[in-house]
Amino acid sequence: MPCLLLFVCLLYSAILSAQGMRLNKYWIAFKDKKGSPYQINAPADFLSTRALERRQVANIPITEADLPLAPAYLKAVENVGGVYHNCSKWLNAATFILDAETADFVRTMPFVEEVRYLGPHLKVRNPPDRPTKQRPLRTSYPQPGGKQFPWGYATRQNARLNTHVLHLLGARGAAKQIAVFDGGFNKADEMSFFDSVALQGRLLVGRDFTERDNAVFEDAFHGTTVLSLMASNLPGYFIGTAPDATYILFKTEEFNGEYPTEEANWVAAAEWADSAGIDIINSSLGYFIYSDTTLGLSKSALDGRTSIVARGAAAAAERGMIVCVSAGNEGNKAWKIISTPADAPGVIAVGATGVESGTADFSAYGPTADGRIKPDLLAPGDGVSVSKYKDIDLDLSSGTSLASPMLAGSIAALWSAYPEKTAKEIMDAVFESADHFARPDNHNGYGTPDMAAAWLRLGGYNTLQGEWPQHPYVYDAESGELSIPVWREGIPEETVFFLRDCLGRRTEIRTPEWSDSVISTLKIKDLKNLPAGFYWLGCEGWMGAFQLP
């Protein structure tokens, strides 16, 4: 390596003569990671405790792909005039700002695998690290007319996924972390929709990967709208799908144009999220055509292995994060099919359905170039209520950009009920609950999931077949504990429950345990000495049947 750096330095003056040429951004992929100061057997040096715990639970190994890049390679590119922008350890590459002549020289470096033009270097347009605005104090807000529901104007769209049932069960996303990738989150630092998450320290700034600062509350409102579907918490007016989750905001989109640089930004953000131990990524972004049309993708490139962002998204999913991405809005246009990274294996490409109807005509469809079914799942994205651009105004909007956060927040709520489960276990239950699971196709994917059904599946709940009163339950034969979800309203704390066996014999139970939720989990203990057979558990006005093995 010292000889290599000497060789580079000898040619340094020749490269400097190219100053004044137009600057571009280039993706520089390296052949190896020789000289990296990090080791696979010391992952705590480059991954957080939370990230390591996630991998341990899911039995995901640390590999060489997780090691940071070789510093000497980055330094060598800087020595010939390259300005570092960001990098990807998973793909062993970095984005540099260079002129074309210097880029040609970098191609000749013996440790360089590829140099790819990503687009022009766009000048920074915002002041660095703009301070967060003062959040105004709001003591009241409008309420919908008629019958009141806690979710307000979000009631119908949340109910489309049965996410409201999770909330009634007390599962609202607590302790789950969601990374949101977008083009900006303008005014999210002052809008009342986000008072709860902000004042409780759950609205966090990740990174602006376009301008390399920590200012994300700027530029586009698109990210603010996306965030409102998950994080809003104005009871009776508008509650999102995961109001108790923690949100980390990343700006990955260039405001002055659309170029593959954004793909590299996306991967850098995903690696930041992985290193921090984030659970879910929501990306309401997709790429297939750029401001420089010569850089656009062909349909044959949507194979999950070609675009930078698809490769990065697949790597993120492999590391135990759930990655939700919008399928695209080209279903009724000339392009028609999905965009990237919706083509990536392992990610959840989300198509749009109406709040009360079927798949939206604009929702992009599959298959991928290598024949895989896309989209994966559907969620409300046609005519959904979202935050507007000021104060607490609401609007109706459509797009798979909205379907993706509807699903991502719902998954966070579900996962918060079973935090010990892996991403795969959560998503297996979500897929199996979807209404097209048995007959997937390239317009509907596996369909619209039912989060309440997924909750029951993850909890191991059973339902007796036949004419007896139906009620889901789970029985732990080892401990003798029976758990039943019960609508708590109208059942006093001191209620006496009773058991009846198949002969009608009655046993009173005076000390059941309740969880503190609207739909409460009623737990009856010490039943392991009862003989096998059918039983009825009840109280005045309610009865449910179950079977002891």
Side-chain angles (χ1 to χ4, degrees), residues 37-235:
Y38 298 97
Q39 302 294 326
I40 293 173
N41 59 4
D45 292 343
F46 51 91
L47 290 173
S48 68
T49 300
R50 186 181 172 97
L52 293 173
E53 288 174 349
R54 185 186 65 224
R55 296 201 188 197
Q56 184 177 18
V57 169
N59 196 28
I60 298 171
I62 307 297
T63 70
E64 185 178 300
D66 295 304
L67 296 178
L69 276 63
Y73 295 170
L74 300 176
K75 186 65 176 176
V77 178
E78 289 177 340
N79 284 344
V80 298
V83 176
Y84 174 85
H85 184 66
N86 57 43
C87 71
S88 167
K89 58 186 179 182
W90 296 338
L91 307 183
N92 197 21
T95 302
F96 275 90
I97 302 166
L98 301 164
D99 58 59
E101 185 173 338
T102 306
D104 286 339
F105 175 75
V106 170
R107 286 187 177 92
T108 69
M109 291 179 169
F111 52 83
V112 171
E113 181 75 30
E114 175 193 17
V115 176
R116 183 190 304 186
Y117 171 67
L118 295 180
H121 171 51
L122 303 177
K123 292 183 179 180
V124 173
R125 64 187 298 273
N126 295 299
D129 295 328
R130 176 179 67 77
T132 300
K133 294 179 182 177
Q134 185 67 36
R135 186 168 294 278
L137 178 64
R138 174 172 290 280
T139 57
S140 63
Y141 44 85
Q143 299 285 314
K147 186 176 181 180
Q148 297 296 301
F149 292 99
W151 308 274
Y153 290 104
T155 299
R156 288 194 309 154
Q157 59 207 44
N158 289 355
R160 185 79 164 87
L161 297 170
N162 258 345
T163 306
H164 69 306
V165 176
L166 298 182
H167 292 188
L168 293 172
L169 287 159
R172 292 165 32 113
K176 305 314 292 184
Q177 296 187 356
I178 304 175
V180 188
F181 299 176
D182 221 288
F185 303 86
N186 203 350
K187 296 191 177 181
D189 55 342
E190 58 180 295
M191 295 171 69
S192 297
F193 290 103
F194 312 114
D195 283 354
S196 288
V197 290
L199 296 175
Q200 294 175 19
R202 295 186 288 106
L203 186 63
L204 307 177
V205 172
R207 181 74 172 159
D208 179 349
F209 282 94
T210 66
E211 299 181 346
R212 292 184 51 77
D213 62 21
N214 294 321
V216 298
F217 299 114
E218 61 189 15
D219 288 341
F221 283 98
H222 186 267
T224 309
T225 298
V226 165
L227 184 64
S228 72
L229 289 167
M230 298 181 283
S232 296
N233 190 25
L234 295 175

Side-chain angles (χ1 to χ4, degrees), residues 256-272:
N256 294 328
E258 190 90 343
Y259 296 97
T261 307
E262 296 169 334
E263 295 188 39
N265 295 342
W266 195 105
V267 180
E271 294 187 8
W272 194 107

Side-chain angles (χ1 to χ4, degrees), residues 278-450:
I278 287 170
D279 304 295
I280 298 170
I281 292 173
N282 180 80
S283 170
S284 294
L285 307 168
Y287 312 97
F288 68 93
I289 191 170
Y290 292 105
S291 300
D292 181 344
T293 56
T294 64
L295 300 174
L297 295 172
S298 65
K299 291 183 178 181
S300 62
L302 295 177
D303 58 3
R305 302 183 303 275
T306 298
S307 74
I308 292 171
V309 70
R311 292 162 59 203
E318 289 170 358
R319 283 156 178 81
M321 290 183 287
I322 295 174
V323 184
C324 292
V325 302
S326 52
N329 300 330
E330 304 296 318
N332 56 0
K333 299 176 183 176
W335 178 261
K336 296 192 181 301
I337 64 170
I338 59 169
S339 51
T340 192
D343 62 319
V347 310
I348 312 303
V350 189
T353 180
V355 172
E356 294 179 347
S357 59
T359 308
D361 62 353
F362 61 78
S363 188
Y365 49 85
T368 61
D370 57 343
R372 287 173 288 116
I373 287 177
K374 291 287 177 175
D376 295 282
L377 294 167
L378 302 176
D382 190 8
V384 300
S385 297
V386 298
S387 68
K388 212 171 180 181
Y389 305 141
K390 63 178 181 178
D391 198 27
I392 56 168
D393 290 352
L394 289 170
D395 201 359
L396 290 177
S397 189
S398 298
T400 59
S401 287
L402 311 179
S404 185
M406 285 293 299
L407 183 62
S410 299
I411 291 170
L414 177 66
W415 206 351
S416 71
Y418 299 100
E420 75 285 358
K421 301 291 188 183
T422 65
K424 182 181 185 306
E425 290 172 321
I426 293 294
M427 290 314 304
D428 282 350
V430 170
F431 272 93
E432 289 165 10
S433 77
D435 57 7
H436 278 71
F437 178 68
R439 53 187 191 287
D441 60 59
N442 283 304
H443 281 268
N444 302 289
Y446 289 83
T448 305
D450 181 335

